[in-house]
Amino acid sequence: MKAVKITAEREMSVVEIEEAVLQPNEVLLKLEYVGFCGSDLNTYLGRNPMVKMPVIPGHEVGAVIEKVGSQVPEGLKEGMVVTVNPYTNCGKCASCRNGRVNACEHNETLGVQRDGAMREYIALPWEKVIPAGQLSARECALVEPMSVGFHAVSRAQVTDIDVVMVIGCGMVGMGAVVRSAQRGATVIAADIDDEKLALAKRMGASYAINTKTEDVHECLMKMTSGFGPDVVIEAVGSAPTYQMAINEVAFTGRVICIGYAKTEVTFQTKYFVQKELDIRGSRNAQPSDFRAVIHYMVKGTCPIDELISKVVPPEDAHVTMQEWAANPGKVFRILVKM
């Protein structure tokens, strides 16, 4: 069967691989749409330290159940539209023991530590297959990245009395904007692209700051009556945005880190103590986050078409990735229609 594979740095091609073999506890999925995400771009550019190359990318999935194994519960049936929880968990490490399986020490994400979903068919354990209700397969491909943003909001323990600044308005950041707004918080979106900021306001942000053209500190002081945001969610993964998060969060605030910085980051650690900050990592998503995103998207208020930058066939995946690498700031999600 056909698959897209990143074979080396800046090299990608359509290849033939062996057919998926269905085990009794597995579900065979026919892939309809698979999203390219930032980790796939970093893999393609040779900047992803966690990836095992060569690799089939893809963990943002919209699929249809083709066949179910003999040990699969009755709730999963042929023809159902589903998405996928793309993470593994060992069940034995400290994270798993504490019930936070999303942060499993030995996690292997589809398309990173193991071959991903950008292929015609894939067989997965039934526990990782998530029914999507009324969503289309195309919409399902947006669920996983938004769930990562939803999970960050849970980690931040956002409430309706909080002011939340989300740095980075890609798909993950948009998820954080939506979930914070759902919880009643006042949301400030920050990005370098005015189009993304405008969309963030339509998705629930009360304010927007272009961090390239505006004085971030001055804007925040005006927006928060001089206090600063109670919560800052870093959804970019760069040294300047990590520093911005620490510098701008309010005293006794919470900083939630989603993005992986590609370089070392230097901090004024006095702020950690003086502000008595809570600095928390946020990794992947819990099953409840997936359900929450599906619940949100089923309502029909999510601007799906604006979040999908392009849909391409597998044969155009390489040239599309080249274009994305040349202009990353203008892309939300690229979907490959298998």
Side-chain angles (χ1 to χ4, degrees):
M1 63 178 175
K2 183 186 300 182
V4 175
K5 180 172 278 192
I6 301 174
T7 53
E9 183 177 328
R10 295 182 181 270
E11 293 183 12
M12 179 186 294
S13 60
V14 178
V15 299
E16 287 292 327
I17 63 172
E18 293 184 2
E19 296 289 333
V21 178
L22 184 66
Q23 300 299 320
N25 68 328
E26 291 182 333
V27 175
L28 182 66
L29 302 181
K30 182 181 186 297
L31 282 305
E32 299 284 342
Y33 294 89
V34 182
F36 272 131
C37 82
S39 64
D40 298 319
L41 177 60
N42 285 323
T43 297
Y44 174 74
L45 295 174
R47 299 174 183 169
N48 190 342
M50 296 181 293
V51 74
K52 294 181 179 179
M53 294 280 281
V55 68
I56 297 170
H59 56 259
E60 301 174 358
V61 172
V64 175
I65 295 179
E66 181 81 4
K67 190 175 181 180
V68 297
S70 60
Q71 297 177 11
V72 174
E74 292 185 2
L76 296 172
K77 300 182 182 297
E78 294 178 10
M80 289 180 67
V81 176
V82 297
T83 189
V84 165
N85 181 330
Y87 326 120
T88 63
N89 56 284
C90 69
K92 300 177 182 179
C93 71
S95 298
C96 291
R97 182 179 63 182
N98 291 329
R100 289 161 65 176
V101 296
N102 57 293
C104 173
E105 180 180 355
H106 306 292
N107 167 66
E108 293 185 347
T109 299
L110 285 173
V112 186
Q113 295 93 348
R114 57 184 172 135
D115 279 335
M118 207 162 282
R119 59 178 90 181
E120 293 182 90
Y121 294 91
I122 191 170
L124 295 171
W126 68 265
E127 297 93 336
K128 299 298 181 180
V129 178
I130 304 172
Q134 303 168 24
L135 296 186
S136 68
R138 176 172 169 266
E139 292 167 332
C140 281
L142 303 181
V143 171
E144 191 274 342
M146 292 198 77
S147 73
V148 176
F150 272 46
H151 181 66
V153 174
S154 294
R155 290 284 292 143
Q157 299 175 298
V158 170
T159 72
D160 59 347
I161 63 172
D162 287 320
V163 176
V164 179
M165 178 186 185
V166 179
I167 306 175
C169 294
M171 277 297 299
V172 171
M174 287 299 188
V177 167
V178 169
R179 193 57 165 166
S180 297
Q182 285 183 332
R183 292 191 175 198
T186 300
V187 183
I188 302 170
D191 200 279
I192 62 173
D193 186 275
D194 286 331
E195 292 181 14
K196 289 184 176 181
L197 290 170
L199 182 55
K201 292 189 75 171
R202 292 198 295 277
M203 295 181 72
S206 298
Y207 303 98
I209 301 173
N210 187 315
T211 59
K212 191 175 182 179
T213 62
E214 297 181 85
D215 185 313
V216 175
H217 182 74
E218 183 178 317
C219 290
L220 287 173
M221 290 300 98
K222 291 179 180 177
M223 294 170 180
T224 64
S225 301
F227 290 106
D230 304 286
V231 175
V232 177
I233 297 175
E234 200 288 331
V236 176
S238 72
T241 51
Y242 263 83
Q243 291 162 342
M244 181 188 299
I246 298 298
N247 293 344
E248 300 299 344
V249 71
F251 274 64
T252 68
R254 288 100 76 196
V255 175
I256 310 301
C257 308
I258 308 175
Y260 285 92
K262 313 306 182 294
T263 60
E264 291 186 1
V265 184
T266 302
F267 292 109
Q268 290 287 343
T269 56
K270 66 178 183 179
Y271 292 142
F272 298 8
V273 177
Q274 286 181 344
K275 292 185 176 184
E276 199 175 53
L277 299 181
D278 290 336
I279 303 173
R280 305 174 187 177
S282 182
R283 183 182 181 192
N284 300 331
Q286 291 270 25
S288 58
D289 300 308
F290 283 84
R291 294 197 303 272
V293 173
I294 291 170
H295 180 69
Y296 159 66
M297 293 180 70
V298 164
K299 294 179 180 179
T301 58
C302 181
I304 301 296
D305 291 339
E306 294 183 74
L307 295 174
I308 298 173
S309 303
K310 184 180 289 189
V311 179
V312 300
E315 292 76 14
D316 291 347
H318 189 197
V319 66
T320 301
M321 188 64 86
Q322 290 175 322
E323 293 170 354
W324 187 17
N327 191 13
K330 287 295 183 181
V331 171
F332 277 110
R333 269 303 174 270
I334 296 167
L335 303 186
V336 176
K337 190 177 190 309
M338 302 304 300

